[in-house]
Amino acid sequence: QVQLVESGGGLVQPGGSLRLSCVASGRTLRNNIMAWFRQGPGKEREFVATLHWTGGSSVRDSLKGRFTASRHNANNTATLQINNLKPEDTAVYYCAAGGAGYNWRSYPYWGQGTQVTVSS
């Protein structure tokens, strides 16, 4: 089993920044993908970024330039740096692991989510 705990969400004004963190515990995530997804109010859960064990990452095209994802295998942590936040970024952000690519349904392990609210 894998346990994932996110932190770092909050209320921020448009144009602000946040850094989300996800700490994994339990069995090793070696050779497994970690990922970030988000779900806005009344919206489907959507892919944000995937992080490979080797360090490679993939960010949703529409978020590139503002979202940066990174993974730190030494301490089982994944981070999501979000800059120039917009109201449409308001969502619960989830960390996930053990799945494949952009399909959230393929991920068996999930954190509880951290709320990001962008509002003036």
Side-chain angles (χ1 to χ4, degrees):
Q1 279 284 20
V2 174
Q3 293 78 42
L4 303 170
V5 179
E6 303 99 332
S7 62
L11 173 64
V12 62
Q13 292 186 344
S17 297
L18 281 176
R19 185 177 181 86
L20 309 183
S21 294
C22 171
V23 179
S25 61
R27 75 169 181 84
T28 180
L29 288 175
R30 186 177 182 84
N31 296 324
N32 278 262
I33 291 175
M34 295 183 74
W36 289 97
F37 293 85
R38 68 181 184 181
Q39 187 163 14
K43 297 181 180 180
E44 291 280 325
R45 189 167 299 190
E46 66 178 14
F47 158 77
V48 174
T50 54
L51 295 156
H52 296 259
W53 172 262
T54 56
S57 65
S58 177
V59 175
R60 187 182 188 91
D61 285 346
S62 61
L63 304 178
K64 288 179 180 177
R66 298 192 300 118
F67 284 56
T68 303
S70 58
R71 179 170 177 172
H72 313 281
N73 294 327
N75 56 6
N76 294 322
T77 300
T79 58
L80 185 67
Q81 176 70 37
I82 313 173
N83 297 325
N84 189 22
L85 276 153
K86 303 177 180 181
E88 53 264 39
D89 294 321
T90 294
V92 178
Y93 284 71
Y94 296 94
C95 178
Y102 311 152
N103 182 3
W104 66 266
R105 294 176 177 83
S106 74
Y107 288 80
Y109 304 115
W110 290 85
Q112 81 288 353
T114 185
Q115 176 72 48
V116 172
T117 303
V118 185
S119 175
S120 55

